[in-house]
Amino acid sequence: MKSAFQTVALIGKYMNPETREQILTLAGFLAERQVGIFIEEKTAEHSDIKGYTTLKLSAIGAYADLAIVLGGDGTMLTVARALVDYQIPLVGVNRGRFGFLTDINSDHMLESVTQILGGEFQTEQRILLEASIVRDGKVISQGYALNDVVVNKNGLARLIELEIHIDKAFVQKQRSDGLIVATPTGTTAYSLSAGGPILHPTLDAIALVPICPHTLSNRPIAINSASQVEIHIVHAEEASVHLDGQMQMALQPGDRVHVQRAKNTITLLHPPGHNHYDVLREKLHWG
Amino acid sequence: MKSAFQTVALIGKYMNPETREQILTLAGFLAERQVGIFIEEKTAEHSDIKGYTTLKLSAIGAYADLAIVLGGDGTMLTVARALVDYQIPLVGVNRGRFGFLTDINSDHMLESVTQILGGEFQTEQRILLEASIVRDGKVISQGYALNDVVVNKNGLARLIELEIHIDKAFVQKQRSDGLIVATPTGTTAYSLSAGGPILHPTLDAIALVPICPHTLSNRPIAINSASQVEIHIVHAEEASVHLDGQMQMALQPGDRVHVQRAKNTITLLHPPGHNHYDVLREKLHWG
Amino acid sequence: MKSAFQTVALIGKYMNPETREQILTLAGFLAERQVGIFIEEKTAEHSDIKGYTTLKLSAIGAYADLAIVLGGDGTMLTVARALVDYQIPLVGVNRGRFGFLTDINSDHMLESVTQILGGEFQTEQRILLEASIVRDGKVISQGYALNDVVVNKNGLARLIELEIHIDKAFVQKQRSDGLIVATPTGTTAYSLSAGGPILHPTLDAIALVPICPHTLSNRPIAINSASQVEIHIVHAEEASVHLDGQMQMALQPGDRVHVQRAKNTITLLHPPGHNHYDVLREKLHWG
Amino acid sequence: MKSAFQTVALIGKYMNPETREQILTLAGFLAERQVGIFIEEKTAEHSDIKGYTTLKLSAIGAYADLAIVLGGDGTMLTVARALVDYQIPLVGVNRGRFGFLTDINSDHMLESVTQILGGEFQTEQRILLEASIVRDGKVISQGYALNDVVVNKNGLARLIELEIHIDKAFVQKQRSDGLIVATPTGTTAYSLSAGGPILHPTLDAIALVPICPHTLSNRPIAINSASQVEIHIVHAEEASVHLDGQMQMALQPGDRVHVQRAKNTITLLHPPGHNHYDVLREKLHWG
């Protein structure tokens, strides 16, 4: 049977040789099926895998039809941000306990990949956020986030003072440890620890969740994902903005952080029968 | 100038003569402008208002072009449920502190009504929920809610055991005091007290908020408003379902409560310049 | 070796024959050691156990030196309230997963009981609450609680209005679903679901935890256990007071519920090595 | 009438000349009553006050009978930590809205001070915490806190991993933004924003409140104030410990932070009729 995808890129956990066996198994499996294989450059290097064509992460979107990510949710976040400008769908395979994004257990890896190559899969779009730092009227930095954009105080400061505007309307002044702007995907990550609600991935929404707000009525709010969020840094000894907890930029008083839905979504493929509520129930130990 | 609305119905707070003066003022004001006036039947009776055509609440949708509600949010909830099958827009005038739904302060009543009659207003659609109780395979009761459908234990019982399904998928078994299914409108009411998030009214979403859940990871979740929610009463000594906290029906173990978005929305009119974030900031005492 | 306790009463889960085997095993084990045995009257009846002296629950405190409770935390609550006026220590044996109060797993029952009879045990005092309902200046009802005294609305009402006084000082007016007054023991039960803190059992404190309060800054508060708490029922369509979720009394507007620490504590015995933090970690699934 | 205190020290807000008028007024008032006056050295300098004996903050405890603090709660925290080794009682006068610790409004300053000098006052003891950082078995730093000892991640890190021991017993491993150890005094400050309970000042307790914990069942816990808390820094890219949000020290993985009740308490004096519940109700806007 012909594969639904002619070329597949394999991407392992960053600087982590533990996925070597899995990648070799998967590559052998794909080669038997006449599927073209790319190994992400750093993955090949750190896992000491030779004999396959390697590609930089940023090039995978242009050359491969499918990317299989072997690692945890953290790896998937990195890959998703890097490939957001391409149409390439992503599949996540997790070792040990499965993740919210990497929902294929490595024990069932070949079985699930067989289904997906055979065209049996569910497709899911996930939105990303695009954050820009504006200083003195100029965008000085920009980036994407699949989980969340977090503006927070640094360790030495006791709190931060922010002013929040949505779609040009003033919403509130806030004194807190910071503010999380989360996609539905991000609502099961840091946002949840801060008391935020879970948003179903199909919801066209983003959540604004204050971190330890001074005013107790300052509660999480979910708004339309088409909204433009502007966060003014009114006062902060030290503050920074974080994208998916993986990239950060220092902020100064007077800076504005603009957050909006990224133009493109990423596409996750799941094996048939996948249901987000099953993932929630399992990961959150409901009943 | 011709009014944007030829006939206006005036509806006061249920069994409460306090709105008499306001209604008479408003009726006089409308009469001067050649606008046809209906007074809701019970309002006229309890406020001892004579000389105007009266209409049953349920008939107002068919005969009037606009309904002005004088009371609090509770009155608006009743009116909205009664008129959901009609296209008639609603305006809310509040005495004392303004409400989430009745956002025109009675001090500015005539000014705001002048603007609205003159065609200067903002239009906002709010979804309602439709709840049905299914017993032994048959729908035994049905009703609407603008704020929330609440399934809860009665006072004597210590907790209730529910099983929740969304779009035919099993979500969770829950032991708790109950479950709130809230529209975005309802997320600033009871749901907020139970720890639920605020959902912006433009969001096509409903919130499921557990009340004092036994499992601490059982957190509020917002789902697409097109979803079908099914709540099975697994175990309960005494339980009931509440619509907007105003109507209730007793439940038995084995009953299923189906909740879904009502086919029709209601239309709220606001004076120009209205912004939902201003309402939130004011009502929740944000900084 | 002589037993540290000459007579032991065995008390099983109310109206539940499942503990029959355990009780017979334990009775045989005690008989071999020349320990006098009483079986609680209802336990003997419902478990169809014959040939042992039976005692009413209320008489056990006067005649036995130790009570072993076989059941869950619910059973222990009932027994503790019944025996609070006696010095008799209590031991809890749980079937299946262990409880907060019944911390001896039935798998290790004989081993643990051997240790306890041999004088190897830890002693722990737990406070109880005494609640009185005052109507028209007279106490019309009174009772004890090991976990909590809960004043709440009944199912049909939407909320209750309470006025809280502590040691004659006005604390607050509260609109909510109700109020939990919890002992440290009770803080891992219903109170925790309502957002209350965990109080260590050695703390001379009681927690006041509002249930779904209308005012978001109305947060749980822990006060000295010597305090006199007075709850005035200002307004409620239907309300009641619950003791450990097992006994309830109907309330009327105007009623006052007085809550204070009971004069006596109960004594729990634990096998050596028992630590409350281990119980918390296990029961709450802390990492 | 003779003053209950022969010498009074006046301490203003740090580096803030705004209290100059108040201090001069108060000094004149005291001089008329033959009360000896000391002005805290930095206060005199920054407020440009001459003609009075000045004393270093640390010397005030040895020479004055009473210290009047003019500023906000932040100033009181600094003064309390500096004077904890002395028996000198403290009085707090606040400008604008009153604080939790500085509960005399400047509008009633002279009236309240007259009462206090006349011996009409209430006395309240407040516990402090003593925190030590232990590195490689040695105490490398030590300090006091009246509100809280906070161990947290720094801005760049996403989370911190801590291991908590109480009285030598292992309590839990925790992944979070950090941990707050709060005195009853501190439970209305940062701890409250993080979801902690309010502890009444008379309670011999301290609260452990996790900041954004990864595990949702990881809830605030109140323990006996005589307990020894040990926090092991298991993993953290960058972490620090904060005392009252005013002093901080950098931490390294492997460090242990020991927290226990300080040997001495501080004494607050309040005008007659003072009640902590009134303060709570006012500051938290309860009904």
Side-chain angles (χ1 to χ4, degrees), chain C:
Chain C
M1 199 193 72
K2 196 153 166 303
S3 167
F5 303 95
Q6 296 187 20
T7 52
V8 173
L10 303 183
I11 307 167
K13 193 173 172 182
Y14 181 59
M15 292 190 60
N16 192 319
E18 285 176 22
T19 50
R20 185 173 197 274
E21 280 315 305
Q22 280 182 292
I23 291 172
L24 289 176
T25 301
L26 201 46
F29 175 87
L30 293 168
E32 276 178 33
R33 276 149 192 78
Q34 272 78 48
V35 175
I37 298 164
F38 299 114
I39 309 277
E40 188 268 330
E41 191 179 80
K42 300 268 171 156
T43 303
E45 183 184 325
H46 289 292
S47 301
D48 194 26
I49 292 174
K50 298 200 170 67
Y52 291 94
T53 308
T54 61
L55 278 180
K56 274 187 202 304
L57 178 54
S58 57
I60 282 172
Y63 292 98
D65 297 329
L66 176 72
I68 299 180
V69 176
L70 300 104
D73 284 355
T75 308
M76 184 62 98
L77 295 173
T78 306
V79 172
R81 290 197 311 274
L83 300 182
V84 66
D85 289 335
Y86 300 90
Q87 309 300 319
I88 184 169
L90 310 178
V91 167
V93 177
N94 209 328
R95 289 161 45 88
R97 55 191 215 112
F98 74 108
F100 281 103
L101 294 168
T102 49
D103 58 314
I104 295 175
N105 191 296
S106 54
D107 295 348
H108 313 110
M109 178 176 73
L110 294 186
E111 189 185 324
S112 295
V113 170
T114 301
Q115 289 179 307
I116 289 169
L117 294 182
E120 293 176 65
F121 51 77
Q122 294 181 21
T123 298
E124 195 183 32
Q125 302 301 317
R126 298 280 180 111
I127 65 167
L128 286 88
L129 297 173
E130 185 181 337
S132 314
I133 304 177
V134 179
R135 183 172 298 164
D136 301 329
K138 285 182 205 137
V139 173
I140 59 162
S141 189
Q142 191 276 350
Y144 292 108
L146 176 56
N147 263 350
D148 46 37
V149 176
V150 177
V151 173
N152 65 10
K153 70 174 181 73
N154 280 2
L156 299 188
R158 188 73 190 245
L159 54 73
I160 196 173
E161 192 172 338
L162 304 172
E163 202 176 285
I164 302 169
H165 296 247
I166 300 176
D167 294 331
K168 303 291 176 201
F170 170 59
V171 176
Q172 62 175 201
K173 261 205 168 120
Q174 173 180 119
R175 287 192 292 157
S176 64
D177 277 8
L179 177 71
I180 303 166
V181 184
T183 63
T185 300
T187 61
T188 51
Y190 184 38
S191 174
L192 194 62
S193 294
I198 297 164
L199 304 184
H200 193 273
T202 59
L203 221 51
D204 288 327
I206 55 180
L208 272 66
V209 179
I211 308 168
C212 300
H214 191 263
T215 299
L216 297 179
S217 64
N218 193 343
R219 294 281 293 272
I221 175 166
I223 61 172
N224 203 293
S225 68
S227 302
Q228 308 276 331
V229 179
E230 242 188 84
I231 305 161
H232 301 190
I233 313 302
V234 178
H235 180 77
E237 291 160 68
E238 290 184 76
S240 50
V241 58
H242 301 250
L243 305 179
D244 290 343
Q246 296 179 332
M247 299 179 62
Q248 61 274 330
M249 296 166 270
L251 295 174
Q252 295 177 4
D255 283 355
R256 296 173 177 224
V257 180
H258 290 221
V259 185
Q260 59 182 20
R261 190 179 54 197
K263 198 167 41 90
N264 297 322
T265 57
I266 58 141
T267 304
L268 296 181
L269 302 190
H270 303 289
H274 172 85
N275 188 297
H276 189 64
Y277 298 116
D278 293 341
V279 179
L280 288 174
R281 194 169 57 249
E282 176 80 16
K283 294 286 292 178
L284 297 177
H285 309 290
W286 289 345

Side-chain angles (χ1 to χ4, degrees), chain B residues 77-133:
Chain B
L77 294 173
T78 307
V79 173
R81 291 197 309 275
L83 300 183
V84 64
D85 289 335
Y86 300 90
Q87 308 300 319
I88 184 169
L90 310 177
V91 168
V93 177
N94 209 327
R95 289 161 44 87
R97 56 191 215 113
F98 73 109
F100 282 103
L101 293 169
T102 49
D103 59 314
I104 296 174
N105 191 295
S106 54
D107 295 347
H108 313 111
M109 178 176 72
L110 294 187
E111 190 185 323
S112 295
V113 169
T114 302
Q115 289 179 306
I116 288 170
L117 294 183
E120 293 178 64
F121 52 76
Q122 294 181 20
T123 299
E124 194 182 34
Q125 302 301 317
R126 297 278 180 114
I127 65 166
L128 286 89
L129 296 173
E130 184 181 338
S132 313
I133 304 176

Side-chain angles (χ1 to χ4, degrees), chain A residues 70-206:
Chain A
L70 300 105
D73 284 355
T75 308
M76 185 62 98
L77 294 174
T78 306
V79 172
R81 291 197 310 274
L83 300 183
V84 65
D85 289 334
Y86 299 92
Q87 308 301 317
I88 185 169
L90 309 177
V91 168
V93 177
N94 210 326
R95 290 161 45 87
R97 57 192 212 110
F98 74 108
F100 281 104
L101 293 169
T102 47
D103 57 313
I104 295 175
N105 190 295
S106 54
D107 295 346
H108 313 109
M109 178 176 73
L110 295 185
E111 189 185 324
S112 295
V113 170
T114 301
Q115 290 180 305
I116 290 171
L117 294 182
E120 292 177 67
F121 53 76
Q122 293 182 22
T123 299
E124 194 184 31
Q125 303 301 317
R126 297 280 180 112
I127 65 165
L128 286 88
L129 298 174
E130 184 181 337
S132 313
I133 304 177
V134 179
R135 183 172 298 164
D136 303 327
K138 284 180 204 137
V139 174
I140 59 161
S141 188
Q142 191 274 351
Y144 292 107
L146 175 55
N147 262 351
D148 46 36
V149 176
V150 178
V151 173
N152 66 9
K153 71 174 181 73
N154 279 2
L156 299 189
R158 190 71 190 247
L159 55 73
I160 197 175
E161 192 172 337
L162 304 172
E163 202 176 285
I164 303 169
H165 295 247
I166 300 177
D167 296 330
K168 304 292 174 198
F170 170 59
V171 176
Q172 62 174 201
K173 261 206 168 119
Q174 173 179 121
R175 286 192 294 157
S176 64
D177 278 8
L179 178 72
I180 302 166
V181 184
T183 63
T185 300
T187 60
T188 51
Y190 184 39
S191 173
L192 194 62
S193 294
I198 297 166
L199 303 185
H200 193 274
T202 58
L203 221 50
D204 288 326
I206 54 180

Side-chain angles (χ1 to χ4, degrees), chain D residues 35-279:
Chain D
V35 175
I37 299 164
F38 300 113
I39 310 275
E40 188 270 328
E41 192 180 78
K42 302 265 170 160
T43 303
E45 183 183 327
H46 289 292
S47 301
D48 195 25
I49 292 174
K50 298 200 169 68
Y52 290 95
T53 308
T54 61
L55 277 181
K56 276 187 199 306
L57 177 54
S58 56
I60 282 172
Y63 292 98
D65 297 330
L66 177 71
I68 301 181
V69 177
L70 300 105
D73 284 354
T75 308
M76 185 60 99
L77 294 174
T78 306
V79 172
R81 289 197 309 275
L83 300 182
V84 66
D85 289 335
Y86 300 91
Q87 308 300 320
I88 185 170
L90 309 178
V91 169
V93 178
N94 209 327
R95 291 161 43 87
R97 53 192 216 111
F98 75 108
F100 281 103
L101 293 168
T102 49
D103 58 315
I104 296 175
N105 192 295
S106 54
D107 295 348
H108 313 110
M109 177 176 73
L110 295 186
E111 188 185 325
S112 295
V113 170
T114 301
Q115 291 179 304
I116 288 170
L117 294 183
E120 293 178 64
F121 52 77
Q122 295 181 19
T123 300
E124 194 183 31
Q125 303 301 317
R126 296 279 179 115
I127 65 166
L128 287 88
L129 297 173
E130 184 182 337
S132 314
I133 305 177
V134 179
R135 183 172 298 165
D136 303 328
K138 285 181 203 137
V139 173
I140 59 164
S141 187
Q142 191 275 349
Y144 291 108
L146 176 55
N147 262 351
D148 47 35
V149 177
V150 178
V151 173
N152 65 10
K153 72 174 181 75
N154 279 2
L156 299 189
R158 188 73 190 246
L159 54 74
I160 197 174
E161 192 172 336
L162 305 171
E163 202 176 285
I164 302 170
H165 295 247
I166 300 177
D167 296 331
K168 304 291 174 199
F170 170 59
V171 176
Q172 60 174 202
K173 260 206 169 120
Q174 175 179 117
R175 286 191 295 157
S176 64
D177 278 8
L179 177 72
I180 303 167
V181 184
T183 63
T185 300
T187 60
T188 51
Y190 184 38
S191 173
L192 194 61
S193 294
I198 296 166
L199 303 185
H200 193 274
T202 59
L203 220 50
D204 289 326
I206 54 179
L208 273 66
V209 179
I211 309 168
C212 299
H214 191 263
T215 298
L216 298 178
S217 64
N218 193 343
R219 294 282 292 274
I221 174 166
I223 62 173
N224 204 294
S225 68
S227 302
Q228 310 275 329
V229 179
E230 243 188 84
I231 304 161
H232 301 192
I233 314 302
V234 178
H235 179 78
E237 291 160 67
E238 291 184 77
S240 49
V241 58
H242 301 251
L243 305 179
D244 288 345
Q246 295 180 333
M247 300 178 61
Q248 61 274 330
M249 298 166 272
L251 294 174
Q252 296 175 4
D255 284 355
R256 294 172 179 226
V257 181
H258 291 220
V259 185
Q260 59 182 18
R261 190 179 54 197
K263 196 167 46 93
N264 298 323
T265 59
I266 59 143
T267 304
L268 296 181
L269 302 190
H270 303 290
H274 171 86
N275 188 297
H276 188 65
Y277 298 116
D278 293 341
V279 180

